[in-house]
Amino acid sequence: MAQQKISLTRYLVEQQRADGLIPGQLRLLLEVVARACKSISMAVNKGDLGGVLGSADSENVQGEVQKKLDIIANEVLIEANEWGGHLAAMASEEMDSIYVVPNRYPQGEYLLLFDPLDGSSNIDVNVSIGTIFSVLKKPDDHPGVHEADFLQAGAKQVAAGYCIYGPQTTLVLTVGHGVAMFTLDREQGSFVLTKENIQIPADTKEFSVNMSNMRHWDEPVKRYIDECLAGTEGPRGKDFNMRWIASMVTDVHRILMRGGIFMYPWDKREPGKPGKLRLMYEANPMSWLVEQAGGAATNGKERILDLQPTKLHERVSVVLGSKNEVERVTRYHDPL
Ligand code: AHG
Ligand code: MN
Ligand code: MN
């Protein structure tokens, strides 16, 4: 008999049943997010035929010009999630403040954060993009829901994942017990388990960073990359390869699949900002996935998952991936 395919639904039900790892409401939430991603995937696939490419002529709270797909993906995620009764509120890169579930729907105990469309600069050139999400529990010591309820360290996440819209549509997920990957079967319309217990090798010969910013970096980051570039003739004694897709979700996915180190470090272009990437809906979920796969994630000095957020759209410097390389970069930042 052919091996049975395990759908995302079955995977989640089995996790809930066997290990009690996922409460029912969280399972529902993850299924709804997956359904929304499926719908975003369809919109992405249509491209010009669906009129979804190009700019929306508006700016988000971070001062970035929004693409049509940034807005479409944001709306799909909100509409899919607001009525199910599993959420209290949502927060997104594309919304200034939190979106509280309207009164006409029951309020659940979870908070959902997302970057609806990561890698927006790739949309119009038909290069992989994705959705990143993070789930927190709403503190139960007070009624209602406020922005402050979202400001929890990444270590408190109860689920995190992303969906990539690339040659295949793949959903990668953790609920704190390893990382699993699901591939969208378009004929069946469902996500099918294609990899379990994903592990990032501790060593690598591949780095991922926007090299055009090199002259703006801090010394420790320059030193690390200089040593990689020196290859067999330098202190590392081996040649390194470079890959940069310019969508964090895809660059980190490659690292989950075959190892590597990804960096978006602080740089002097805007010295007042701790980094480019956002802590709560980019760095935290990706860092947790990477740690769950045996890798590491720091801001150059501290573990990202231990950082206490002070605002929703806070930015952070990011170094993540193969453990020994991340530890090396972090060591280079240590003044001792
Ligand atoms: P977003 O599209 O959600 O704004 O995020 C884009 C981010 C990240 O995915 C990527 O690593 C980085 O921006 C690329 O930025 P630069 O091309 O400016 O280096
Ligand atoms: Mn992003
Ligand atoms: Mn985005």
Side-chain angles (χ1 to χ4, degrees):
M1 202 173 93
Q3 219 190 344
Q4 248 192 342
K5 287 182 178 171
I6 299 179
S7 65
L8 174 69
T9 303
R10 178 169 167 187
Y11 175 86
L12 293 174
V13 167
E14 284 178 356
Q15 293 244 329
Q16 181 187 355
R17 210 182 275 151
D19 310 320
L21 296 177
I22 315 180
Q25 289 294 303
L26 182 55
R27 178 169 70 78
L28 174 64
L29 191 165
L30 293 171
E31 291 217 47
V32 174
V33 169
R35 207 156 56 224
C37 289
K38 209 156 55 181
S39 159
I40 297 169
S41 173
M42 302 303 165
V44 169
N45 280 171
K46 287 201 177 96
D48 262 332
L49 300 177
V52 298
L53 302 188
S55 165
D57 295 322
S58 53
E59 277 190 3
N60 65 15
V61 65
Q62 352 242 344
E64 297 160 345
V65 176
Q66 292 175 303
K67 296 283 174 89
K68 283 184 197 161
L69 264 176
D70 287 321
I71 295 174
I72 293 168
N74 194 58
E75 282 168 1
V76 168
L77 280 155
I78 289 176
E79 280 165 20
N81 278 286
E82 66 179 353
W83 50 268
H86 49 281
L87 280 181
M90 293 176 248
S92 158
E93 179 190 342
E94 306 304 340
M95 298 189 292
D96 300 9
S97 39
I98 65 168
Y99 179 91
V100 178
V101 166
N103 282 337
R104 59 184 182 277
Y105 303 121
Q107 276 219 354
E109 54 187 8
Y110 291 102
L111 306 172
L112 174 66
L113 294 109
F114 44 83
D115 175 353
L117 220 291
D118 178 66
S120 301
S121 70
N122 286 334
I123 295 173
D124 294 345
V125 291
N126 197 9
V127 175
S128 298
I129 47 184
T131 297
I132 308 174
F133 61 92
S134 162
V135 185
L136 294 164
K137 197 109 191 269
K138 184 182 101 67
D140 55 11
D141 55 357
H142 57 267
V145 56
H146 312 280
E147 186 165 314
D149 296 331
F150 283 80
L151 304 181
Q152 304 180 38
K156 297 252 179 73
Q157 292 172 104
V158 294
Y162 61 81
C163 187
I164 301 233
Y165 315 114
Q168 304 110 44
T169 290
T170 48
L171 183 84
V172 175
L173 186 68
T174 186
V175 289
H177 297 267
V179 182
M181 179 173 111
F182 303 83
T183 304
L184 181 60
D185 179 335
R186 286 184 190 277
E187 280 84 56
Q188 301 291 331
S190 63
F191 281 101
V192 176
L193 181 67
T194 39
K195 266 195 178 71
E196 250 184 311
N197 193 22
I198 293 169
Q199 288 294 317
I200 301 174
D203 292 298
T204 183
K205 292 162 90 172
E206 199 159 76
F207 65 85
S208 182
V209 69
N210 186 343
M211 289 288 292
S212 68
N213 298 324
M214 190 164 192
R215 73 186 190 284
H216 306 296
W217 294 338
D218 240 351
E219 268 328 301
V221 176
K222 266 192 196 147
R223 174 185 168 193
Y224 176 77
I225 294 295
D226 274 341
E227 290 179 0
C228 292
L229 295 176
T232 47
E233 293 142 43
R236 301 300 307 276
K238 58 181 182 181
D239 289 332
F240 277 76
N241 185 26
M242 193 197 93
R243 285 287 184 273
W244 177 252
I245 299 168
S247 67
M248 180 204 203
V249 67
T250 326
D251 281 310
V252 177
H253 182 64
R254 184 187 55 254
I255 287 170
L256 278 157
M257 294 298 106
R258 69 177 191 207
I261 179 168
F262 169 90
M263 295 197 277
Y264 213 116
W266 172 90
D267 69 52
K268 293 191 196 94
R269 287 174 300 168
E270 290 183 273
K273 281 188 188 162
K276 172 171 181 176
L277 297 175
R278 278 58 53 112
L279 173 61
M280 299 212 62
Y281 41 80
E282 289 179 317
N284 273 344
M286 297 315 255
S287 296
W288 196 31
L289 286 158
V290 164
E291 282 198 6
Q292 281 291 312
T298 74
N299 64 355
K301 293 178 175 140
E302 298 157 88
R303 181 181 178 229
I304 286 178
L305 295 181
D306 287 336
L307 299 174
Q308 174 58 50
T310 57
K311 53 182 189 208
L312 207 51
H313 299 289
E314 185 162 332
R315 292 173 190 258
V316 67
S317 181
V318 175
V319 181
L320 60 75
S322 290
K323 204 166 197 285
N324 292 341
E325 295 299 307
V326 174
E327 282 173 1
R328 177 181 287 270
V329 176
T330 308
R331 211 163 52 235
Y332 287 2
H333 282 80
D334 195 332
L336 288 179

